[in-house]
Amino acid sequence: MKITIHRGSNEIGGTCIQVTSGTASILLDIGLPLSDNSPFIDVANLKVDAVLVSHPHQDHFGLIDRLSPEIPVYIGELGRNLIETTSVMLNKEWHGNQFRHFKAWVPFRIGTFMVTPYLVDHSAIDAYAFLVEAEGKRIFYSGDIRAHGRKGKLFEHMVKHPIPDIDLLFLEGTMMQRSNDLFSNEKAVERKIYEVIRKQKNISFIISSSQNIDRIVSAFNACRRAGKIMVIDIYTAWVLEQVRQVTENVPGMEWPEVRVYADHGLDKKLKANPEYFGDLRRRLYRHRVKWQELIAAPSAFLYFGRMSSFRKINVFRNDIAPVNIIYSQWLGYLDGNHADYFGSDRIVAFREDPKVNFVYAHTSGHAPVEDLQRLAAALKPKHLIPVHTEKASDYGRFFENVVVLHDGEMMEI
Ligand SMILES: [Zn+2]
C-alpha cells in the first residue's frame, strides 16, 4: 500500500490522507483547514474511488463539495444528517455528494480495501476510527479520539482488546501541546455547571457548540439536579431530534426540563423548509419559552447558547446579580485572533465585565498524551505516523516506531 498525507502531517485540522493499493485509492478525511496559512491542496484533481469521513467536524469533511459528485463519501448516517442540518441552518448549498453509510464495527469493501469503522469517543457524535486492510497489511487511522468523554468505554475497550497486527497507525495529537488539567473529564464539567447554576440569582448562559452532544447532556444533567430549566434554540432542538433517532439517552425538546426559545431568524428557516423539517415547527410550538418568561424569572433558566448569544446576555447584565456566562468550549477562540467567529469579541469583553460572572467549564474533544500512549502501547504498530498535530517532531519522545511523514511525501508499506 502507498500512503500520502496531503495535509495534516503538522497541523490541526484540514486532514487529508490518501491510501492506494494497486489501482484502488481512497481518502481518509477531506477537511477544511482551521488555519489561513495552511497549504492548498487540489482536492478536485485527486484520483480516488471513495472518501471516508471520520466524523462531522468541518476540519475533517469540509472539502467534500470540491469533490467530483460521483465519488462516494462514506460516513455514519447521523454524522451525515448533522452535516445537512448545518447546511440548512446556515443557508448553504445542499451537498451534492453521493453519501454511503456504514455501521460501527461492520466491515465493508471498497475495491480491494476492506474497511472497518470503530465508533470512538470524541466531542463530535458519530465519530469513527478506521481499520483499512489491503495486500495483507493493516492501517489504523485514529480520527479524532479521546477517553474522557461519555463514550470513554470505547477507548478503554480498544486498549484492553487491541486490534492485532497493525502495520501502520495514524495517530492524532491535538493535545501534544495542550493540557487537560482543569477539567479532566466530562463529569467534572457537569459538576462545575451544577455548582454555578445551583444557587444562581440571575440566568446562566452556557457558550458551547450545539453539536457537542456530551456537553448538552452535561448541561441538562446539571439543570435537572439543580431544578432548573434548560433553554435551547431551534438549531439545538433539531440536532437533538437527529440524535434521538439513534439514542434516546439524550434530552429532547419534549422533556419537561427543556424549553425552546424560537428566534425569529431560525423560525424563518423552519417555515422555508417544511419538507426537510416535517412537523418540527408545530411540535416545537408547544415547548416554547417566551422572552417575557425568561425576564420574569431569570434564575430558573440555563440558556444553551453560542458566542452569538451576546445580545441576549446583554439584557441580563446587572450589578446586583451578575449574569453567569459558562464558557464551555476551547479557550483559544478567545485569543483575539478569531474575528471570523461572530460574537467572540463581545464574549472576550464580558470576561472583564463586573456585571458578568465569567466561568470556564470545558474538557477537550481530544486525548491527552498519556491516553494516546496507552492506545499506541496496546496497538503496537510497526510504524506510527503523527497526524492532526502541531507537534509531530515531539512524537519520538512519547511513542515508539515513529515515522514523521511530511505533507505530500509518499511512503510504501
Ligand atoms: Zn473533530
Side-chain angles (χ1 to χ4, degrees), residues 54-60 122-124 127 143-145 172 365-366 388:
S54 62
H55 63 282
H57 274 161
Q58 280 276 359
D59 62 323
H60 291 259
H122 179 44
S123 49
D144 286 357
I145 198 167
E172 75 119 315
H366 306 272
H388 206 275

Side-chain angles (χ1 to χ4, degrees), residues 26-89:
I26 55 173
L27 291 182
L28 304 174
D29 283 332
I30 180 164
L32 189 71
L34 296 173
S35 154
D36 295 338
N37 308 321
S38 179
F40 171 79
I41 49 169
D42 191 3
V43 170
N45 280 320
L46 292 175
K47 299 267 176 292
V48 293
D49 302 296
V51 176
L52 306 179
V53 171
S54 62
H55 63 282
H57 274 161
Q58 280 276 359
D59 62 323
H60 291 259
F61 78 84
L63 294 180
I64 53 172
D65 290 337
R66 312 258 171 99
L67 282 173
S68 162
E70 59 271 12
I71 297 173
V73 175
Y74 289 81
I75 183 169
E77 188 173 7
L78 174 58
R80 178 258 179 103
N81 289 344
L82 292 176
I83 289 174
E84 278 184 358
T85 295
T86 312
S87 309
V88 174
M89 292 294 187

Side-chain angles (χ1 to χ4, degrees), residues 278-295:
D279 65 349
L280 179 74
R281 190 158 187 265
R282 185 181 56 77
R283 288 191 292 120
L284 191 139
Y285 205 79
R286 291 198 292 271
H287 307 285
R288 274 177 59 185
V289 64
K290 296 204 181 89
W291 187 249
Q292 300 90 292
E293 293 177 74
L294 300 182
I295 297 286

